[in-house]
Amino acid sequence: MKISQKRAFISGLKSTNLSNKEILFLKKYKPWGIILFERNIRSLDQTKKLVQSIKKIFKDQNYPILIDEEGGRVNRLKKIIDTKLHSSKFFGDMYKKDKKKSLLYYKIYIDQISYLLNNLGININTVPVLDIAREKTSKVIGDRSFSKNKKIVNIFGNFTIDQFHKNNIATVIKHIPGHGLANVDSHKKLPIINKSINYLLKNDFYPFVNNKAFIAMTAHILINNYDKINCVTHSKKIIKLIREKIGFKNIIITDDISMKALKHPIQISTIKAFDAGCDIVLHCNGNINEMTKVAKNSPKLSNFLIKKTSQLNKFLS
């Protein structure tokens, strides 16, 4: 399938195999990619078959298949491999005791996860989490953060991207421009950040500056001193800041557009994300009615996105 025929959204699936409705949906609306969750993964063989059935529809072995495989609590592959002990914080804490050992152990961990992802046909992992932890950071981030120290977060972030890329797995930095100050869960409520932009540039934005990941995922947070009305995902001002001040030059996707931090109906949230400058809208829960609303309000790929997708395809080849 030609890149230009795709629409600028990513969707989830309901179960461990494609339903007839999902097959028709994928053929009709042609999402940019598919994201898998624990509900989609029962075994090695089943997951490989699911991934191949998706790629077969699009006649593309490099078709983007994403997963959140962070380790720790966010372990979508737990029915195949259990990494609940290997959170980002686990490696960040080890770094403070023995820098060389922690990076060696982390490299071994990434190599093993990459081997499994390549075996399954999954080619994009939505890591690293570059949010800086605080005492009152919401548990939704918690041990998903490498550290309270911005330099340690930066070191591990760059290392994560480098090692996954060496293993032919593309990466997604999150949650740009930084979710660590949020003290509520954005799945349930909109976090409001009251720090100055100068503070944020020196701290929370720091690990994201000039980052080389292929993709960045937005934070559903409100940065009160920069845009009092719109959260990051819906803010032209902040998407512009991400491009110009933070210097991220590649694909920007939203966090899950169905999260309750966003108060609008899903079709309005979708439109507002594109209007703000997001390149791709992400929808995760596999609800076909919601997926259809997202799809109908997602445009064909922009010239910028066609160019970046072509670059990604070359990397994955």
Side-chain angles (χ1 to χ4, degrees):
M1 185 183 72
K2 290 181 180 177
I3 293 170
S4 59
Q5 293 176 330
K6 290 182 172 185
R7 286 182 185 263
F9 75 101
I10 296 165
S11 68
L13 302 169
K14 203 67 183 172
S15 190
T16 52
N17 57 278
L18 289 173
S19 69
N20 289 333
K21 279 187 178 180
E22 287 171 337
I23 291 167
L24 290 171
F25 174 86
L26 296 182
K27 287 180 176 178
K28 181 174 181 178
Y29 292 110
K30 302 176 178 62
W32 184 89
I34 295 293
I35 187 164
L36 300 182
F37 290 89
E38 186 185 345
R39 66 177 182 268
N40 307 120
I41 297 166
R42 186 177 64 242
S43 69
L44 198 65
D45 287 344
Q46 167 270 323
T47 308
K48 286 168 85 167
K49 284 178 186 173
L50 174 60
V51 168
Q52 280 308 310
S53 68
I54 297 164
K55 291 182 177 180
K56 190 176 178 182
I57 287 171
F58 298 105
K59 299 181 176 65
D60 182 5
Q61 282 303 304
N62 295 326
Y63 182 79
I65 307 288
L66 298 85
I67 195 167
D68 290 320
E69 188 51 42
E70 297 175 11
R73 288 178 293 124
V74 183
N75 175 202
R76 312 303 189 193
L77 295 170
K78 66 173 64 170
K79 288 177 185 151
I80 299 172
I81 184 172
D82 188 353
T83 60
K84 68 174 175 284
L85 298 177
H86 300 96
S87 67
S88 297
K89 185 177 184 294
F90 171 85
F91 292 106
D93 287 348
M94 191 188 296
Y95 183 85
K96 289 184 281 188
K97 297 171 187 172
D98 190 327
K99 294 178 184 179
K100 192 173 179 182
K101 179 181 173 183
S102 69
L103 292 174
L104 174 62
Y105 277 32
Y106 191 46
K107 181 185 184 303
I108 293 167
Y109 166 81
I110 291 174
D111 286 345
Q112 295 304 309
I113 295 299
S114 299
Y115 176 82
L116 181 54
L117 294 179
N118 279 316
N119 189 264
L120 292 168
I122 297 167
N123 46 28
I124 302 174
N125 195 10
T126 67
V127 294
V129 173
L130 298 184
D131 305 321
I132 300 166
R134 306 297 207 289
E135 291 298 334
K136 293 184 179 179
T137 296
S138 168
K139 289 179 183 176
V140 74
I141 301 297
D143 61 4
R144 296 168 65 196
S145 171
F146 288 104
S147 180
K148 295 174 185 173
N149 183 318
K150 67 181 182 183
K151 292 186 177 176
I152 293 176
V153 172
N154 194 47
I155 287 163
F156 272 95
N158 290 331
F159 189 82
T160 303
I161 294 161
D162 184 53
Q163 295 304 313
F164 271 112
H165 285 191
K166 282 179 181 176
N167 289 315
N168 223 47
I169 302 292
T171 51
V172 181
I173 52 173
K174 58 191 187 187
H175 305 83
I176 203 165
H179 208 298
L181 283 165
N183 57 18
V184 296
D185 181 351
S186 55
H187 291 84
K188 299 172 183 175
K189 191 176 178 181
L190 179 64
I192 296 172
I193 309 303
N194 289 311
K195 294 286 189 182
S196 69
I197 288 298
N198 191 43
Y199 174 90
L200 293 170
L201 281 166
K202 289 178 181 175
N203 293 280
D204 293 72
F205 298 177
Y206 172 82
F208 295 94
V209 172
N210 296 324
N211 195 281
K212 299 297 188 284
F214 279 99
I215 304 168
M217 180 187 291
T218 61
H220 293 329
I221 58 173
L222 186 80
I223 300 176
N224 219 0
N225 288 317
Y226 208 72
D227 190 333
K228 293 182 183 298
I229 298 167
N230 299 297
C231 71
V232 169
T233 306
H234 289 159
S235 173
K236 287 182 184 179
K237 286 183 182 178
I238 297 175
I239 299 299
K240 187 178 180 186
L241 178 145
I242 288 168
R243 292 298 193 196
E244 295 179 359
K245 289 258 174 106
I246 294 175
F248 186 74
K249 304 300 184 191
N250 292 324
I251 298 167
I252 296 176
I253 70 172
T254 71
D255 202 346
D256 182 6
I257 206 74
S258 68
M259 285 161 63
K260 289 185 172 60
L262 308 180
K263 302 297 183 188
H264 306 282
I266 203 156
Q267 59 267 39
I268 303 299
S269 284
T270 300
I271 292 165
K272 283 175 71 68
F274 288 119
D275 285 348
C278 295
D279 300 302
I280 295 174
V281 163
L282 172 67
H283 181 267
C284 295
N285 66 27
N287 179 314
I288 196 93
N289 293 327
E290 287 188 10
M291 286 158 60
T292 302
K293 288 176 184 177
V294 171
K296 285 181 175 178
N297 289 284
S298 296
K300 295 282 182 70
L301 307 198
S302 64
N303 289 334
F304 169 82
L305 193 47
I306 289 170
K307 177 185 173 185
K308 291 297 178 181
T309 304
S310 296
Q311 291 172 356
L312 178 62
N313 278 350
K314 284 179 186 174
F315 167 78
L316 295 173
S317 297

